[in-house]
Amino acid sequence: MTAALQIEQLTVSYGGIQAVRGISLEVARGEIVTLIGANGAGKSSTLRGITRLVRAGGMVRVFGEDVSAYETDRVAGLGVALVPEGRGVFTGLTVRENLELGAYLKRNGLAAKLDRVVKQFPRLGERLTQDAGTLSGGEQQMLAIGRALMAEPRIILLDEPSLGLSPKLVQEIFAAIRAIASQGMTILLVEQNTRLALETAQRAYVLATGEIALSGTSTELKNDERIRAAYLGGSVE
Ligand code: ATP
């Protein structure tokens, strides 16, 4: 079966800086794959390249369809939803309005979509009329994921969902991510919390200065000396 997402020799540059230097990776249907690496390794740029939010070289295929020449909207139309770093919720709009914006490409069945998201994140349901800017960090992350779900995507790209959250909220967000995956969603997870990323994903790619330095199953990488030394504080339980 064709992969949900297939990237070949992806490059992203900003002026003279080459942030992504020809990476290739694949995410199978229904798989959670994580992209890990230090600050500035090029993780967010990879997600922006996939969704054509920045100009990118190389090839990106979504369910076998080459999207390299597409605009962002058209990639979204194929079922790719990005949950950006920093959440990108619209303050000044209510939680409900933010969620509804997620369904802007397909507005039919809005109530049923909203219902499903609220079932996934009951806290959002209790706050539908609240200004999104007044939500806590964890609630904003739920809203960002909920907004992506409103588009009924087939692939979700998650950029640093744990950023700035307390350990308890991180657990809550990741439980939701696992629940969404268990319903068959394909997920590419960018995450700085390497331990959590490897516990959540089936496979991982390690990005270092814009290149894939290492890849394998999460179990392989958890036991890899280089990963343990560089990203897991030298120990694995
Ligand atoms: P982090 O974990 O800190 O978010 P990252 O792995 O996601 O890092 P990117 O945000 O993709 O890394 O950045 C990769 C490189 O590209 C960095 O050196 C960064 O400074 C540079 N970069 C990112 N966005 C831009 C931009 N809009 N203009 C210029 N340089 C950029």
Side-chain angles (χ1 to χ4, degrees):
M1 210 190 311
T2 50
L5 186 65
Q6 189 186 9
I7 296 166
E8 278 170 31
Q9 295 299 319
L10 186 80
T11 56
V12 176
S13 300
Y14 304 104
I17 300 171
Q18 210 183 354
V20 179
R21 301 164 181 256
I23 71 165
S24 300
L25 64 84
E26 222 174 78
V27 188
R29 293 167 195 238
E31 193 179 29
I32 309 183
V33 168
T34 186
L35 190 57
I36 52 183
N39 280 119
K43 304 181 300 293
S44 299
S45 299
T46 299
L47 298 189
R48 283 187 224 123
I50 293 168
T51 49
R52 318 322 274 183
L53 286 167
V54 292
R55 204 195 305 231
M59 166 108 75
V60 176
R61 282 204 185 89
V62 174
F63 295 102
E65 186 166 338
D66 181 359
V67 305
S68 310
Y70 289 9
E71 300 287 330
T72 299
D73 266 14
R74 203 161 162 204
V75 179
L78 285 179
V80 182
L82 172 67
V83 180
E85 186 175 350
R87 288 111 201 187
V89 306
F90 297 105
T91 60
L93 296 185
T94 64
V95 169
R96 178 194 289 274
E97 286 164 340
N98 267 273
L99 289 171
E100 288 181 355
L101 279 172
Y104 79 106
L105 286 174
K106 284 184 284 183
R107 290 189 59 84
N108 57 315
L110 207 53
K113 290 175 191 174
L114 200 62
D115 210 47
R116 277 199 291 277
V117 169
V118 164
K119 279 214 178 70
Q120 185 68 61
F121 297 111
R123 279 204 215 193
L124 296 181
E126 293 157 13
R127 293 169 172 77
L128 284 176
T129 58
Q130 191 173 325
D131 186 317
T134 63
L135 294 177
S136 72
E139 289 160 1
Q140 289 197 10
Q141 185 62 62
M142 291 174 199
L143 179 55
I145 297 172
R147 190 177 55 194
L149 289 173
M150 288 292 287
E152 298 191 315
R154 296 200 284 167
I155 305 174
I156 299 185
L157 311 177
L158 283 167
D159 199 351
E160 304 265 8
S162 78
L163 200 71
L165 302 184
S166 68
K168 185 169 170 288
L169 271 171
V170 168
Q171 291 308 326
E172 208 174 308
I173 293 289
F174 272 72
I177 293 169
R178 289 190 193 99
I180 292 163
S182 72
Q183 292 154 28
M185 187 70 74
T186 302
I187 296 177
L188 179 57
L189 168 70
V190 159
E191 184 50 65
Q192 281 222 27
N193 184 332
T194 305
R195 190 179 300 274
L196 185 63
L198 292 178
E199 277 163 9
T200 307
Q202 284 107 50
R203 287 191 306 113
Y205 294 85
V206 182
L207 204 56
T209 53
E211 289 178 288
I212 304 282
L214 214 56
S215 65
T217 65
S218 294
T219 310
E220 282 164 356
L221 292 194
K222 264 191 266 186
N223 293 310
D224 189 291
E225 281 306 327
R226 289 161 291 182
I227 297 292
R228 290 165 68 147
Y231 301 103
L232 293 173
S235 70
V236 180
E237 67 280 357

